[in-house]
Every structure is written in structure tokens, then in C-alpha cells.
Amino acid sequence: MEYKINCIGILTSGGDAPGMNAAIRSVTRTAIFNGIRVKAIYRGFRGLITGEIKEFQTQNVSNIIQKGGTILKTARCDEFRSSEGRKIAYERMKEEEIEALIVIGGDGSFTGARIFAQEFNIPIVGIPGTIDNDLFGTDATLGYDTALNTITQAVDKIRDTASSHERLFFIEVMGRDAGFLALNSAVASGAEAAIVPELETKVDQLAELIKNGFRKSKNSSIVIVAESEITGGANGLAERMRIEYPEYDVRVTILGHIQRGGSPTAYDRILASRMGVAAIDALLDEQRNIMIGIVDNEIVHVPFTKAIKHDKPLDDKLMGVLHILSI
Ligand code: F6P
């Protein structure tokens, strides 16, 4: 007998990321194209508990491919962490005749989704949406490329003032203990160094930087720092500099949530469009409990357990490139 899904739910969860709307559009239109009804769930898993649900037609996703944020809103939902909360969510799904879910989010969202799928035997497919790019099994997550470009533009501006005043800037970027944004934006903006949590456990990166003759031939410098308690972040490092190396004129810029906003790049829009189609294809192919990923420009399926549990390694070679080019 042919496997058939009649109605899916779609939600966005965790931190928003540019490209989420393009993915909502792609999932909605691909589902409708395949004769599947689409119920949009607002405010992440919370909307599934409270019943903030609306059926979408193709026109509900018109004119959103270029928009940042998520039209479905997003939330981090404590109630969904409890089995009582998930039971209510399941009852709501039945009431709404939702047979499968597409979850667009990061590792926290997929952790919840995995438990929910197992408890109630629900087909769930994830689309990676986070600027941090910290999910294992995919080269890129939605929003990462846009955030990288936003950071690069901001650093270009800071460099003007850094060089005019001959200062050392620590610029903090997001990443929730992952150094992808920091390392890649450092290369893209021609920064002198990136300080990332992945390396701090092995070496004191600030001390190394100074020891290796940092700023020998320069009178201003930019160091990109990934937010992290392990390194102390930009403020922690600047504080250390002021105490240990008072000869430097140090300033700190924390880019913050500006990195999460803005219109998605063409790359993120295309990735979102491909992943949305792939997510519906996967459901129709009876796949469940997987995240859609992209590896070497090919769509792949990654089990939730792998995507969440494995640490994605930083590219050592790129760290080498940064090091060589910063002399
Ligand atoms: O997960 C994306 C992210 O931007 C992280 O890099 C950051 O630590 C976190 O979200 C901040 O999220 P919020 O301020 O929304 O809690």
C-alpha cells in the first residue's frame, strides 16, 4: 500500500535565523504540490501546546523569501521539556489531524523533537536553522552565511576607526561555544586572529598571540572572539590585556543580535529552498527522526542523535590560513 501523509505541521524553534522564512515557504509549497495540507504552528513547540495553529495555503508564504526572522515566531518552551507538556502537544496534533512535523531550528529544538518523535511514534524531519552552524553532519545551517556577511561588513567598519586610532579591537561574535562564525569571519575580514572555545582547552590563545609577535608590523589590530565562558569572551580577554599588557590601547565591540537579523543571502535562500523540498521528500520516503543536511553541495539525511550529540570540528586548515595571512 502506498504510504500517504495527509497533513503536516511546521514550526520554527530556538534562536531565529535568516532563511527560516524561505524554508517555511519551500516546505509549504512542496507539501501543497504533493497534495498534503499544511498547518503552521506559531511560537515553536509552545504553539503546539497552546493550539496557536493556522492552516496555510500557498499565498500565506508569498513575499517572505527575502525576509529575516520567522513569520511563525519562535520560542524556547520549558513546558515541552516535561512529559506532561509533550502529551498535551501530542493530543493537540491529533485534534488538528497533523500526522508529521517539520521542525526548523537548532540542537535544542532537535533534542526535544527526537524525544517527542520516539514517545509518540511521530514522523519528524528537521531543517537546521541557526546562525551558529554548530550541527554535526551538515556543512551549513540556515542563517550562517547571512550572519557571516553581516559580521564581515561590521568588522570592515570597525577597522576604519581601529586603524585611525591605532587600537586593538576585540570583536565578539555569536556561536554559543562554537567558533565557526569567529574563524570564518576573521578570514573574511582580514582579522589578525580568531579566539575560539574549541582551542582554548588546549592552549592559552591570548598568551600565544602575544608570544608569537602579534602586531609586530602593525599599528592596529582586530581579533574576533567567539562568545564563550571558556575564553572569557571579548570583555574577559580585554580585561586580561589591560592587566597583563597595559601598553596596548584596547577596545571591545560586542556585535550581539544584529548578527541574527537581516535579509538572507542568496546562498541561504537557495539552501532553504532545497532543504524544504528535501524535507517533504524525506517524509514521503518514510524517513523520520532525521535532519536534512548539506555535504559537498549534496543533500544528506542525518539522524537527530548524530546531529545533536557529535561535536562538529573546526577546520584546522582554515585556522592555518588565518595564521599565515595575519603576518
Ligand atoms: O543559537 C543562536 C544564538 O544566536 C547563539 O549564538 C547565542 O548564544 C544565542 O543564540 C543567544 O540567544 P538569545 O539571546 O535569543 O537567548
Side-chain angles (χ1 to χ4, degrees):
M1 208 178 71
E2 203 202 331
Y3 180 73
K4 178 85 183 117
I5 290 178
N6 299 298
C7 178
I8 60 154
I10 177 169
L11 60 86
T12 49
S13 160
D16 63 320
M20 280 184 164
N21 283 328
I24 295 165
R25 170 181 180 270
S26 173
V27 167
T28 302
R29 295 210 165 152
T30 310
I32 293 171
F33 181 85
N34 283 285
I36 301 170
R37 293 167 66 202
V38 178
K39 299 249 176 135
I41 301 156
Y42 288 82
R43 298 181 175 80
F45 291 109
R46 194 202 295 165
L48 205 50
I49 292 172
T50 57
E52 291 179 85
I53 297 170
K54 172 181 164 177
E55 182 148 0
F56 264 17
Q57 311 299 336
T58 57
Q59 56 272 25
N60 290 103
V61 293
S62 295
N63 202 16
I64 64 167
I65 194 169
Q66 77 284 15
K67 290 194 173 130
T70 160
I71 60 161
L72 296 184
K73 315 291 180 199
T74 183
R76 296 190 167 102
C77 176
D78 282 339
E79 217 183 332
F80 197 72
R81 289 182 214 273
S82 72
S83 56
E84 294 80 21
R86 291 192 295 274
K87 178 94 176 41
I88 299 171
Y90 176 62
E91 294 303 332
R92 184 75 67 185
M93 274 185 73
K94 282 206 301 196
E95 206 175 288
E96 291 280 344
E97 298 175 340
I98 298 171
E99 296 161 17
L101 279 183
I102 304 283
V103 173
I104 308 171
D107 58 350
S109 316
F110 295 160
T111 304
R114 188 181 71 89
I115 299 168
F116 191 45
Q118 278 174 350
E119 272 174 347
F120 299 100
N121 194 24
I122 305 163
I124 304 187
V125 170
I127 295 180
T130 162
I131 64 164
D132 299 341
N133 197 25
D134 57 351
L135 285 160
F136 182 86
T138 185
D139 291 345
T141 55
L142 298 183
Y144 171 64
D145 183 65
T146 306
L148 207 48
N149 280 286
T150 302
I151 295 168
T152 306
Q153 283 168 17
V155 176
D156 289 350
K157 292 194 169 80
I158 293 170
R159 193 177 279 287
D160 291 345
T161 175
S163 70
S164 303
H165 282 270
E166 304 187 284
R167 281 174 172 155
L168 161 60
F169 266 83
F170 286 106
I171 302 177
E172 185 173 296
V173 300
M174 282 185 167
R176 203 195 292 266
D177 280 331
F180 298 98
L181 281 173
L183 172 57
N184 285 274
S185 65
V187 173
S189 62
E192 277 60 43
I195 296 202
V196 295
E198 289 89 339
L199 288 187
E200 191 66 16
T201 45
K202 296 178 201 128
V203 52
D204 180 347
Q205 294 169 91
L206 188 63
E208 284 287 299
L209 217 61
I210 307 288
K211 191 180 93 197
N212 293 338
F214 168 60
R215 279 174 109 223
K216 248 189 332 240
S217 59
K218 300 177 182 178
N219 53 20
S220 74
S221 295
I222 304 274
V223 176
I224 312 286
V225 184
E227 61 172 353
S228 158
E229 280 176 16
I230 305 169
T231 63
N235 276 322
L237 291 168
E239 209 38 56
R240 265 189 69 189
M241 283 298 287
R242 286 185 190 116
I243 296 165
E244 295 173 35
Y245 310 98
E247 63 274 28
Y248 290 94
D249 188 10
V250 180
R251 290 292 185 279
V252 168
T253 301
I254 299 190
L255 292 182
H257 290 77
I258 194 172
Q259 296 163 89
R260 287 231 296 251
S263 182
T265 57
Y267 178 86
D268 273 331
R269 298 180 198 195
I270 295 166
L271 185 63
S273 302
R274 290 178 69 188
M275 285 184 165
V277 172
I280 296 296
D281 281 352
L283 276 182
L284 291 174
D285 204 23
E286 296 185 53
Q287 302 274 344
R288 47 178 64 204
N289 258 333
I290 54 144
M291 176 192 85
I292 302 296
I294 187 116
V295 173
D296 294 335
N297 204 27
E298 293 290 336
I299 292 287
V300 294
H301 295 168
V302 189
F304 276 150
T305 35
K306 271 198 177 170
I308 302 159
K309 285 208 185 114
H310 292 259
D311 278 340
K312 181 151 107 183
L314 269 188
D315 183 353
D316 284 346
K317 288 201 185 111
L318 196 60
M319 199 46 110
V321 169
L322 179 62
H323 187 63
I324 293 168
L325 300 184
S326 66
I327 55 170

